Amino acid sequence: MTLSTVASLLERPVWFGPSDRPLCGWLTAPTSGVASQGVLLAPPIGRESRAARRALRLASCRMARRGMVALRFDYDGTGDSSGMLDEPARDEAWVASVEHAAEFLRGLGLTTISAVGMRLGATIVGAAVDAHGLGLTSLVLWDPCASGRNYLRELSALESLRREHVSIESDGSVETSEFVFSPRTVSEIRHLSLTKLERTPLADRILVITRDDRSIPDKLQERLSKEKVDWALTSEQQALIGVDPLHAELPEKTVDELIDWLGAEHAPAAPFRLPADAAAVTMASAPGGAVVHERFVELGQRRLFGIVTEPLAARDGPLVLFLNVSTDEHTGPSRLWVELSRRWSALGLQCVRFDLTGIGDSPMLPGGRSANIYDQHWLDDLGEVARALRPDRPSDSVYIGLCSGAFLAVEAGLSVRPRGVYVINPPVGIDFLHGSCRLAASRLAPVRLLGAQLKEVALRLRWFAVVLWRACRVIMPTVFSTDVLSRLAATDTDMLVLASSEDLSPYPKTRRLDRFFSKRLVAPRGYEVTFVPGLDHSMLAAGGRAATVELLDRRVRDHFVGNTAAAAPGPGDKEPT
């Protein structure tokens, strides 16, 4: 399976590492078949890894154009790799993941190996070199954390400024936006340190990229004084990892500078071997849990990237489709789509998590650009994915989405007529969005432009869209009169709506305005809304997230586990012969 974005390079998902705990990675290589070096890219940990994912893909593609083979990957217990974040010995598992990545590159016939580590990823690479040697030619420490202690301290400080969903519990655990580090994991992260590395040199040459708004700790400077080091400053790091990951800006200048530095070594180009297309792998659904299959898939005409998780035995029940949240990648909020896929596949269901057109690991749009939220291509993707995996009966499916993904799940419900649509925090102005998308699909260019502009209003002024929808119902009643959730509730599709009280109204203290806005959820027609205690809009708080997952899990088990009875045929289903 190869997803090529431009003629000069190819991108291929790979499994590597231990057969009983496979690691997931992406190999990006020049199509010429020769390369000067292999470069492993070690990502940050936690929320920062989400923010850095697009940047590391950008770096991989540009490295391949410069004649390098790049491997970006997920550590054990993160992303699409095996394991869970709260399993024991996280520091050792992450260090071993870096060693396996270096071994994989060498197995392709590459003799010159370099590494790029960002934030705690730089610390982990340093620990891997200290423990295993690795034999690196070049090493880039990109905004490195001097130690795990520094990382946790910075994380807590930044999160407390950025959001209210952060706490350090009395038992030693650290709860941040999206992820909770258990007391044991916190202790293991603290073991990681660049300042205490004993092996010298770490690599033949080292580039340290530091932030222009932050000084580097004295102890780290002292340790690096023993190495052959070049120093560089970046002004792009705050806009990359200091913001909501959905708004992270690509560090174009920093990427080009580090690639120039890597290429300055002038290693001779030599042939390399591409790995065979990845077969399905087996992994535990949870520590001590049932074993499931996972495999990479290309979906639909646009060759969307996805990972199918399915039971070892024959599947039993509908296909469960997990949708992207905004322009975020397919692992879902707090990696939930990965964990739920494996949990439900262990019960007999087939699940797929995938990236819509122009985001995550799917091919980019023409010109190499990423998609914007509510991209019109995404509506076409919804049915194509179900048809790719259930060609005879795409309606034998369940769509699950959060926020913008909830909007897409509802749209899929109206077009595919699946067995289930389960939505979390559907966006404010969902009816207005539905009408705007109908206009954007018009054959008439002026009407398409109007639809695109109205979608922009819904994105930037979401509460105003509620008011504007009411006006549009009068001006264009055939387009904007639909209450989409009520319309879906009137079908045979099982519908679950889970919501945060944060999304009720922007004016909770003004009775009349509050009543006007909150009526969209507290007075639904033909369906119920379950307000989940502690749930915030983006599912960042651990308590509300756990309660939401419990409700989802119960609904799926009650309706679809061991229940093979299909719903009425959908509009895209084939007639049985």
Side-chain angles (χ1 to χ4, degrees), residues 393-424:
R393 200 171 179 84
S395 68
D396 190 19
S397 55
V398 177
Y399 287 81
I400 296 179
L402 164 68
C403 191
S404 63
F407 165 72
L408 295 173
V410 171
E411 291 293 315
L414 296 174
S415 60
V416 180
R417 298 294 173 87
R419 292 175 65 178
V421 169
Y422 299 158
V423 298
I424 308 163

Side-chain angles (χ1 to χ4, degrees), residues 506-527:
Y507 305 106
K509 296 182 179 180
T510 307
R511 174 174 289 186
R512 290 187 178 180
L513 290 175
D514 179 60
R515 187 181 305 160
F516 173 84
F517 283 100
S518 62
K519 184 179 180 181
R520 52 182 277 278
L521 283 181
V522 299
R525 293 182 297 172
Y527 65 96

Side-chain angles (χ1 to χ4, degrees), residues 445-464:
V447 179
R448 289 199 304 271
L449 178 61
L450 175 61
Q453 292 173 336
L454 291 177
K455 279 198 292 185
E456 189 70 16
V457 170
L459 178 62
R460 296 185 179 277
L461 304 169
R462 60 193 188 112
W463 286 106
F464 179 66

Side-chain angles (χ1 to χ4, degrees), residues 345-513:
S345 291
L347 299 174
L349 300 179
Q350 184 186 42
C351 302
V352 61
R353 54 190 187 274
F354 64 98
D355 289 317
L356 296 159
T357 297
I359 58 177
D361 291 311
S362 284
M364 296 295 178
L365 293 169
R369 63 185 179 88
S370 299
N372 296 319
I373 187 171
Y374 302 123
D375 190 283
Q376 199 69 16
H377 292 91
W378 295 356
L379 299 178
D380 299 328
D381 294 341
L382 300 173
E384 279 209 18
V385 172
R387 286 189 291 272
L389 295 172
R390 297 288 173 96
D392 293 334
R393 200 171 179 84
S395 68
D396 190 19
S397 55
V398 177
Y399 287 81
I400 296 179
L402 164 68
C403 191
S404 63
F407 165 72
L408 295 173
V410 171
E411 291 293 315
L414 296 174
S415 60
V416 180
R417 298 294 173 87
R419 292 175 65 178
V421 169
Y422 299 158
V423 298
I424 308 163
N425 289 335
V428 172
I430 187 172
D431 305 307
F432 181 74
L433 271 171
H434 174 77
S436 300
C437 287
R438 286 186 62 187
L439 293 176
S442 171
R443 295 180 179 180
L444 302 176
V447 179
R448 289 199 304 271
L449 178 61
L450 175 61
Q453 292 173 336
L454 291 177
K455 279 198 292 185
E456 189 70 16
V457 170
L459 178 62
R460 296 185 179 277
L461 304 169
R462 60 193 188 112
W463 286 106
F464 179 66
V466 178
V467 180
L468 192 57
W469 173 65
R470 295 177 183 271
C472 288
R473 289 179 68 184
V474 177
I475 301 170
M476 292 177 280
T478 59
V479 177
F480 286 96
S481 62
T482 302
D483 178 341
V484 292
L485 290 173
S486 296
R487 180 179 165 192
L488 181 59
T491 69
D492 292 330
T493 297
D494 182 53
M495 190 170 76
L496 175 67
V497 182
L498 304 176
S500 162
S501 59
E502 288 183 4
D503 285 352
L504 275 176
S505 166
Y507 305 106
K509 296 182 179 180
T510 307
R511 174 174 289 186
R512 290 187 178 180
L513 290 175

Side-chain angles (χ1 to χ4, degrees), residues 179-466:
F179 296 96
V180 177
F181 297 114
S182 68
R184 180 177 58 201
T185 302
V186 168
S187 175
E188 292 161 354
I189 290 175
R190 285 175 176 155
H191 292 162
L192 298 167
S193 177
L194 283 175
T195 64
K196 298 180 180 179
L197 302 180
E198 296 180 358
R199 186 183 295 267
T200 302
L202 299 175
D204 295 345
R205 55 202 286 264
I206 298 176
L207 172 66
V208 182
I209 303 175
T210 62
R211 298 173 57 147
D212 64 354
D213 59 350
R214 191 176 301 173
S215 60
I216 190 165
D218 292 340
K219 288 185 178 180
L220 182 55
Q221 290 196 58
E222 181 182 350
R223 172 59 185 86
L224 292 175
S225 67
K226 303 175 184 178
E227 308 283 341
K228 180 183 177 181
V229 177
D230 294 317
W231 298 84
L233 282 176
T234 178
S235 60
E236 298 175 309
Q237 200 69 357
Q238 172 62 25
L240 174 63
I241 63 168
V243 298
D244 188 302
L246 297 178
H247 302 132
E249 297 180 12
L250 290 173
E252 306 254 4
K253 182 179 178 183
T254 306
V255 166
D256 286 340
E257 288 178 352
L258 74 85
I259 294 175
D260 287 342
W261 183 85
L262 287 170
E265 188 63 12
H266 301 298
F272 63 89
R273 298 182 297 274
L274 284 174
D277 282 346
V281 295
T282 57
M283 62 182 67
S285 57
V291 174
V292 297
H293 273 311
E294 287 207 333
R295 56 188 172 93
F296 303 126
V297 288
E298 288 183 357
L299 302 164
Q301 295 182 349
R302 297 193 181 100
R303 302 170 63 206
L304 305 179
F305 171 72
I307 296 180
V308 169
T309 312
E310 50 202 355
L312 298 186
R315 65 176 187 249
D316 180 15
L319 168 70
V320 181
L321 300 96
F322 293 96
L323 302 176
N324 296 95
V325 181
S326 184
T327 54
D328 207 358
E329 43 100 22
H330 58 267
T331 56
S334 309
R335 202 185 177 226
L336 277 180
W337 296 169
V338 178
E339 296 176 7
L340 289 176
S341 291
R342 294 172 182 171
R343 180 189 303 182
W344 292 341
S345 291
L347 299 174
L349 300 179
Q350 184 186 42
C351 302
V352 61
R353 54 190 187 274
F354 64 98
D355 289 317
L356 296 159
T357 297
I359 58 177
D361 291 311
S362 284
M364 296 295 178
L365 293 169
R369 63 185 179 88
S370 299
N372 296 319
I373 187 171
Y374 302 123
D375 190 283
Q376 199 69 16
H377 292 91
W378 295 356
L379 299 178
D380 299 328
D381 294 341
L382 300 173
E384 279 209 18
V385 172
R387 286 189 291 272
L389 295 172
R390 297 288 173 96
D392 293 334
R393 200 171 179 84
S395 68
D396 190 19
S397 55
V398 177
Y399 287 81
I400 296 179
L402 164 68
C403 191
S404 63
F407 165 72
L408 295 173
V410 171
E411 291 293 315
L414 296 174
S415 60
V416 180
R417 298 294 173 87
R419 292 175 65 178
V421 169
Y422 299 158
V423 298
I424 308 163
N425 289 335
V428 172
I430 187 172
D431 305 307
F432 181 74
L433 271 171
H434 174 77
S436 300
C437 287
R438 286 186 62 187
L439 293 176
S442 171
R443 295 180 179 180
L444 302 176
V447 179
R448 289 199 304 271
L449 178 61
L450 175 61
Q453 292 173 336
L454 291 177
K455 279 198 292 185
E456 189 70 16
V457 170
L459 178 62
R460 296 185 179 277
L461 304 169
R462 60 193 188 112
W463 286 106
F464 179 66
V466 178

Side-chain angles (χ1 to χ4, degrees), residues 52-89:
R53 196 171 181 100
R54 282 200 311 137
L56 294 181
R57 186 183 185 186
L58 172 72
S60 297
C61 292
R62 292 189 178 179
M63 287 176 185
R65 294 191 189 102
R66 294 283 295 271
M68 307 172 195
V69 175
L71 175 66
R72 51 191 173 92
F73 65 96
D74 298 322
Y75 307 107
D76 184 287
T78 71
D80 292 306
S81 288
S82 303
M84 305 278 281
L85 186 62
D86 58 357
E87 289 186 79

